[in-house]
Amino acid sequence: MSLLNKIKSMDRNSNLYTFLYASGMVIVVAMLLAIASTALKPAQNKNIETEKKIDILRSIGKTDGIDEAKNKHKFVAETFQKYIPEQLVVNINGDTIKGLEAFNIDMKVELSKPLEQRNLPLYVAKLDDESIKYIIPLRGRGLWGPIWGYLALNSDLKTIYGATFAHQGETPGLGAEIATPEFQKQFRGKTIFEGDSILTFTSVKVVKGGASPDDPHGVDAISGGTITSKGLEKMLSDCLEPYQNYFEKIHKSL
């Protein structure tokens, strides 16, 4: 007699029958969930890829038309290809690493490595007016979880062209304000180096109580979101400074 027939012949009020029946249902449900997860994985990966490209494009202000596009994935891929003609990976010494592509670099993994071992992704954008922008990925920690974003620099390698930030779980109305256009637009025109050179790195300070209007390195912190603001400030410093040697090499070649 098969196991299935034995189960069918059992007393349905017995503890053994209940245990076997429950175990069987758990196994069946687990199998169905595994099959569903495998089937949905390609679509999930495509969504993640598209959202990442949107974030990169947002840092240079090139997201118009995405919400209205009939095929969002195709539209974003074509826009990304148009405005991001080059992807690089460099090291702390400012040397380009061959065989790696910026889009495939996991910032979470890289930030867990010693600085001298990190792969530093960099996107080179070319806008409609032929101007060049350098886009740097960012990742840090807020109050309740990770924060991340992208910062675009002008071709002088020191002046911010645009910035976009996102978060996982920051408090609405407080730390979550880093994801709003109102907060992000403060960064445009700020500089990450002191004076006219790119030798003295200063990053951008997120100032509690508000930055002075003529402060080239300061933006207003989020009211009531001190920890998130400081986390974002640290993220900027930690993620931007490692590119200094690369910027110096590019600057000398101009």
Side-chain angles (χ1 to χ4, degrees), residues 31-43:
M31 290 176 61
L32 291 174
L33 289 174
I35 292 170
S37 177
T38 301
L40 293 172
K41 194 67 175 177

Side-chain angles (χ1 to χ4, degrees), residues 6 46 68 72 79 91 122 164 175 188 197 212 215 244 253:
K6 287 182 178 180
K46 189 66 176 178
E68 296 78 27
K72 181 178 179 180
T79 305
N91 60 26
L122 181 68
T164 181
R188 188 160 191 167
S197 74
S212 172
D215 184 352
Q244 183 169 355
S253 68

Side-chain angles (χ1 to χ4, degrees), residues 129-149:
D129 61 1
E130 302 295 313
S131 64
I132 301 298
K133 314 297 176 188
Y134 295 87
I135 305 171
I136 299 173
L138 311 165
R139 186 177 177 87
R141 184 164 184 82
L143 174 59
W144 301 112
I147 56 176
W148 62 90

Side-chain angles (χ1 to χ4, degrees), residues 25 68 72 114 141 146 154 186 202-203 233 235 242 246 253:
M25 290 300 296
E68 296 78 27
K72 181 178 179 180
R141 184 164 184 82
N154 285 315
Q186 297 184 89
T202 60
S203 191
E233 180 180 281
M235 172 179 76
Y246 177 77
S253 68

Side-chain angles (χ1 to χ4, degrees), residues 132-228:
I132 301 298
K133 314 297 176 188
Y134 295 87
I135 305 171
I136 299 173
L138 311 165
R139 186 177 177 87
R141 184 164 184 82
L143 174 59
W144 301 112
I147 56 176
W148 62 90
Y150 295 88
L151 186 139
L153 296 173
N154 285 315
S155 57
D156 65 0
L157 303 169
K158 59 177 288 185
T159 308
I160 297 175
Y161 178 76
T164 181
F165 308 113
H167 65 90
Q168 181 181 310
E170 296 305 291
T171 307
L174 298 175
E177 293 298 297
I178 64 170
T180 64
E182 290 75 17
F183 178 78
Q184 295 167 11
K185 70 182 181 182
Q186 297 184 89
F187 289 80
R188 188 160 191 167
K190 300 298 180 180
T191 58
I192 64 171
F193 291 98
E194 189 66 49
D196 295 329
S197 74
I198 57 170
L199 300 178
T200 306
F201 177 75
T202 60
S203 191
V204 176
K205 307 303 180 185
V206 185
V207 183
K208 184 178 181 180
S212 172
D214 58 355
D215 184 352
H217 312 297
V219 300
D220 297 347
I222 301 162
S223 179
T226 301
I227 295 178
T228 304

Side-chain angles (χ1 to χ4, degrees), residues 5-16:
N5 288 332
K6 287 182 178 180
I7 295 174
K8 287 181 178 179
S9 65
M10 286 182 181
D11 179 2
R12 296 194 176 188
N13 295 317
S14 69
N15 290 335
L16 180 59

